[in-house]
Amino acid sequence: MSRTAGQSDRRTVAPARAAALLAGAVLSVCPTVRLSGQDSSVVDRGVRVGIIYRPGVRPGMVLLPGRPAVLDSVRAIVARDLDYSDRFEMITLPGGDSIRLGAAANPTRSSGRGRTGGGGGEAAGLNYPLFQALGADFAVALAQATDTTVVTLHDVAAGGVRREVKKRLPPLTSPDFRLAVHRLADQVLQASLGAPGVAASRLLFVMDGKVWQIDQDGADKRLVSSSDRQAMSPAWAADGRRFAYMEFWAGHGQLFVQDMATGKRAAVVTTGAALDFTPAFSPDGKTLAFSRAIEEGTDVYTVNLKDNCCLQRLTVGRFSDNLSPTYSPDGQRIAFVSTRAGLPQIYVMAADGTDQQLFAPFDYGVTGSSNAPEWSPDGQSVAFHRDVAGTLQVFVLDVRTRTVRQLTSVGRNEDPTWAPDSRHLCFVSDRSGYRQLWIIDLETGRIRPLLQQSGARLPAWSPRLPETAASTP
Amino acid sequence: MRRLPLLVLAGLAAAALAACGGSPPPQTAPQPNADSIAAAERAEADRRAREEADARAREEAERIARQRAADSLAAMGRTTEAVRTMLATMIHFDFDKSNIRPDDAGVLDQKISILQANPNLRIRISGHCDERGSDEYNLALGNRRATSAKQYVVSHGIDAGRIETVSYGEERPIAQGHDETAWAQNRRDEFEILSGGDALRHP
């Protein structure tokens, strides 16, 4: 969420010269008070300053403008990644866009404090009080030294450089470029807040019967399906190097495991006549759990992926269906859907199929169908969707207390999938009038569309992607 | 030299016979008889006419036979087409349900008759759902819908091995709308011929 000065919820002090004086006074007396930046609409006259004090807000982050222009794409990607992490108040410098140079450097100079020269983007001599006045806790500068990109993270409150990252980025045209820049953004987040980011992650989803991948910031959509058959239910392996999915063949559903880097795929062993669907990797990547529909009904099975053997049946439904398995991150348990009580609801069992029990509580005869569970990477939650008054809504089950809370209420929302940070969810929603993928941050409630295209569904968010999984042919 | 006098004697005898023969004997070479020629020609013409008539009759018979065969093939084809149409009649389901509706039992009874009349016929039943349910759950629901139709047919004496089932969930809608009319059409079982459907007998 970007913060711009002069918005309606901020007290504006006038006349402007008095405000500027006051700003200086407040700064000198009480440096921890956050001040907003100049209103971009009047910055040229340099007369208006908004002041706001908001305790408990997220740390302010400003991405410094600067040269060279070759870093514009890097700066744009990093700025968006930091914004989409939902952990910062992104501060928009006067001029409207923090990635554009121009007006930003001038207030620095005109303030009469610590002239920096070089547009404020250089590592040395940042005007910390000014950026503190703008509400920034951190400032990130990008620079280019021959073939190396240098990212400098300034700790504004401490008045010094927190960390400097030097990285040789692949050329702009390389398929590895964006992922490498996403990793830089994650390093900035790690260095500033000590939290691992999700910038270097992707999502798989199904559109027009094909499997696609897309960066978490909504860019770089690519086809990964390797056949013309109708595909469903992509699922990542925990190492981020493989994914599994289902394809309709004549009269049955065939599971495949595909290598991300090479695009090569192998059929998972089946009896050849069953409808196998909703694959889910065990966290160690050795086992694939899935649903198998036969005339008797649908049940959860596992197969040994390494040896492509050893089919095991975990549930015996008889007159009910059991499907959509999802492993806990420790590999000990599997949450799944069962119709044993009538409508489908969320159950849990040990990974060997024993100790089956209800997981997400429901009121018999009242609560609607619950489906599509996915266990969060931190193990604390299971996201799923539930029929509420004839439409689907995303719910989150707290694993420890076994309580559920409804996350969405606008439109139809379904098939949630966790980001590797366990605080973002991607799901399908028709809230904009057509079905597309949206991402919500559970901490702030902030929501954004991942795609502007309709028809995307069944998203699967990757783990943090390893370096070597970067390239895709 | 004894043979020479015999030859001479024979020659003399022949001469003597010839000398006392008088008038030469009547010519025995056939004289043309107009009546018999005409008769023969008539006979020949009649024969040819008969043959031609026979050939025409045979051809006609063959043509008729061919026509009859063609007619019966066409009739058979018409029958096959009619039976196929009967077989392809879909059945429909209530939302999130897989039980056979009472009004669809007659449709399934017709399929049972067809399967009984055509013992080589094998079919596939595919279960489908509307778009309202969960995408993946609908695969299980479609499976239930296909299976319940199969169970109905098998419970009426049809060999289970002649019927395959498959589910396409909500992946293959036949009505593209987003209202109850479209949903009702999409909640269905489809029936297709796997083998033995070239010449179907009407039950």
XYZ file of all heavy atoms in Angstrom, chain A residues 107-115 127:
75
model
N 13.770 18.195 -3.091
C 13.458 18.525 -1.702
C 14.622 18.215 -0.788
O 14.829 18.901 0.207
C 12.259 17.639 -1.382
C 11.718 17.203 -2.690
C 12.847 17.223 -3.638
N 15.378 17.177 -1.134
C 16.532 16.821 -0.334
C 17.475 18.011 -0.231
O 17.933 18.381 0.838
C 17.286 15.647 -0.986
O 16.349 14.628 -1.253
C 18.376 15.146 -0.089
N 17.700 18.605 -1.380
C 18.638 19.733 -1.403
C 18.001 20.975 -0.785
O 18.607 21.662 -0.005
C 19.054 20.034 -2.841
C 19.792 18.870 -3.472
C 20.578 19.336 -4.669
N 21.211 18.217 -5.340
C 20.665 17.568 -6.342
N 19.501 17.922 -6.819
N 21.281 16.556 -6.890
N 16.752 21.208 -1.174
C 16.117 22.428 -0.725
C 15.864 22.430 0.772
O 15.651 23.464 1.373
C 14.800 22.658 -1.476
O 13.922 21.590 -1.160
N 15.879 21.275 1.374
C 15.644 21.220 2.804
C 16.814 21.813 3.566
O 16.686 22.136 4.741
C 15.446 19.770 3.247
O 16.690 19.096 3.208
N 17.934 21.955 2.888
C 19.076 22.565 3.535
C 19.820 21.620 4.462
O 20.781 21.991 5.094
N 19.379 20.398 4.508
C 20.077 19.430 5.365
C 20.861 18.462 4.503
O 20.324 17.901 3.581
C 19.052 18.627 6.178
C 18.257 19.443 7.150
C 17.095 18.616 7.612
N 16.561 19.152 8.867
C 16.991 18.737 10.048
N 17.921 17.812 10.129
N 16.485 19.257 11.136
N 22.044 18.229 4.860
C 22.873 17.165 4.299
C 22.751 16.980 2.807
O 22.265 15.956 2.347
N 23.150 17.957 2.058
C 23.145 17.794 0.611
C 23.929 16.543 0.225
O 25.056 16.362 0.666
C 23.799 19.011 -0.057
C 22.925 20.224 -0.071
C 23.711 21.404 -0.620
N 22.885 22.611 -0.602
C 22.066 22.922 -1.616
N 22.003 22.141 -2.672
N 21.321 24.007 -1.561
N 20.318 11.558 3.108
C 19.728 12.517 4.035
C 18.728 11.795 4.939
O 17.535 11.809 4.706
C 19.048 13.625 3.237
C 18.512 14.722 4.145
O 18.491 14.567 5.361
N 18.096 15.806 3.538
